Amino acid sequence: MPKNIQVYYRWAPSLGGGFEGTPEKCWGVKKYSPKKHINEPVVFCGLYGLKDFMALNSHKGKKYVWFAGSDIRHLINGYWLDESGKIKIDPKPLAKWINKNCESWVENKVEYKALKKIGIKSKICPSFLGNVNDYQPNYKQGNKVYLSCSGDDFKLYKWDLIEKIANKVPEVQFYLYGSNKWKTKHKNVIIRGRVDKKVMNEEIKNMQAGFRPLNFDGASEIIIKSSLWGHHTISKIKYPFVDTYKTQKDLIKLFKNLSNKKLPNLKARNWFLKNLNYYPWNYYARK
């Protein structure tokens, strides 16, 4: 795309806020108004339901789709036509239309494969809406691990996994952010709960590993920030130079070895710096 072309964006209501930055500041895009920008290039951020799809379908200009992770599950499971979810839309015709009329982007191979199964070809590029210059290497040898939860959905974010293995790695301290409702039986599990993002960043930047145990996910800010800080990030989903695991036994080994890591993981940091946000709608990447 030419450097001087202005791209607009539509933010799906279900995406909410709480990100480290904004599309305007990170990508140089502007908010979409259907009345004003119906023929302009637009990136549709998140397709969570029928209203999001209809907004995409109605647009006349170039259409990019930036899938966020959970919206892929919503599409595959079928958009609801009623409040109870008893009436759903077959995703295959929608996927066929998206594949024909849109340019789709995802953040990892797990998302890529999920869309491919229903007929949508996509391109892979991780994103981070924060300013990467604010996340300089900040690693000191230690044993502190941090993870997060959204909306008290403990099952999805696998906080129970920490409860199962905490006593097997008593030398590791686990810091859980995002909910005050979780109860733990372990002294080495610290419930930090809901805290201001700035407070959380100040705390976790001095730890040693961000942990993301989700099987299906976008490029989590936990993964990105941990890697940019040079921490020894652990993820269920594979990313270059980031530690991953298949079994609990593998995971326990990673946790036990954490305190032996004397130097920062700069390979993961450098990979993300070279690959974050290289989208065709990103003005700054086109400069």
Side-chain angles (χ1 to χ4, degrees):
M1 177 176 289
K3 296 178 181 179
N4 61 341
I5 297 296
Q6 178 63 58
V7 181
Y8 298 86
Y9 80 100
R10 179 187 183 273
W11 194 259
S14 296
L15 260 177
F19 291 84
E20 288 294 326
T22 65
E24 292 98 324
K25 290 183 179 180
C26 183
W27 298 334
V29 293
K30 294 183 180 180
K31 288 186 178 180
Y32 173 56
S33 169
K35 293 182 179 180
K36 296 179 181 179
H37 311 128
I38 194 67
N39 295 306
E40 303 297 331
V42 175
V43 53
F44 289 79
C45 302
L47 290 182
Y48 284 88
L50 189 57
K51 289 183 179 179
D52 295 326
F53 176 80
M54 293 308 298
L56 175 69
N57 179 265
S58 300
H59 185 66
K60 305 301 180 184
K62 173 70 177 180
K63 293 176 277 287
Y64 298 103
V65 180
W66 180 67
F67 284 97
S70 57
D71 56 344
I72 296 176
R73 291 200 304 269
H74 284 243
L75 173 60
I76 292 174
N77 293 332
Y79 292 150
W80 292 11
L81 284 179
D82 63 333
E83 293 184 0
S84 64
K86 293 181 179 179
I87 305 174
K88 297 181 180 181
I89 296 177
D90 181 358
K92 291 182 180 179
L94 302 186
K96 184 177 180 180
W97 185 91
I98 292 172
N99 191 61
K100 180 180 178 181
N101 296 282
C102 308
E103 185 175 316
S104 297
W105 287 80
V106 296
E107 298 186 288
N108 53 53
K109 290 184 178 180
V110 170
E111 292 179 313
Y112 172 86
K113 291 178 180 179
L115 286 182
K116 186 178 180 180
K117 284 184 179 180
I118 60 170
I120 298 177
K121 296 178 181 179
S122 61
K123 300 178 182 179
I124 302 174
C125 179
S127 73
F128 180 59
L129 296 182
N131 184 348
V132 295
N133 294 321
D134 294 336
Y135 299 84
Q136 299 298 321
N138 192 72
Y139 182 78
K140 294 181 181 179
Q141 190 174 7
N143 61 354
K144 295 181 179 179
V145 174
Y146 52 94
L147 60 158
S148 67
C149 172
S150 178
D152 299 330
D153 196 341
F154 306 119
K155 183 178 180 180
L156 175 64
Y157 290 89
K158 296 191 176 182
W159 279 20
D160 59 325
L161 176 60
I162 300 300
E163 286 299 300
K164 292 177 182 178
I165 66 174
N167 63 338
K168 297 179 182 179
V169 281
E171 67 272 29
V172 176
Q173 293 181 344
F174 297 95
Y175 290 78
L176 279 58
Y177 290 85
S179 176
N180 298 309
K181 296 181 179 180
W182 185 256
K183 304 298 181 182
T184 182
K185 300 177 181 179
H186 305 284
K187 293 182 179 180
N188 59 327
V189 177
I190 298 92
I191 311 300
R192 289 294 294 119
R194 297 186 185 278
V195 300
D196 183 83
K197 186 175 287 289
K198 290 183 178 180
V199 173
M200 178 178 171
N201 283 345
E202 282 298 310
E203 293 180 0
I204 65 177
K205 75 178 184 181
N206 297 310
M207 298 184 192
Q208 285 70 43
F211 176 43
R212 193 71 169 179
L214 278 70
N215 295 310
F216 191 90
D217 197 13
S220 166
E221 287 191 349
I222 289 288
I223 297 292
I224 306 300
K225 290 189 289 188
S226 175
S227 298
L228 292 177
W229 278 319
H231 296 173
H232 290 274
T233 314
I234 301 173
S235 172
K236 181 62 174 170
I237 296 174
K238 292 182 178 180
Y239 294 95
F241 307 110
V242 170
D243 286 330
T244 188
Y245 62 97
K246 292 184 178 180
T247 66
Q248 283 190 27
K249 186 176 180 181
D250 296 333
L251 180 59
I252 290 170
K253 285 182 179 179
L254 289 174
F255 285 142
K256 283 186 172 294
N257 193 40
L258 180 61
S259 60
N260 296 322
K261 304 283 188 179
K262 297 180 179 180
L263 300 175
N265 180 3
L266 297 182
K267 288 184 178 180
R269 169 183 165 80
N270 291 334
W271 185 87
F272 279 111
L273 287 176
K274 292 178 181 178
N275 289 277
L276 285 173
N277 298 314
Y278 276 89
Y279 300 114
W281 61 80
N282 184 354
Y283 170 78
Y284 301 110
R286 289 186 273 129
K287 288 179 69 176

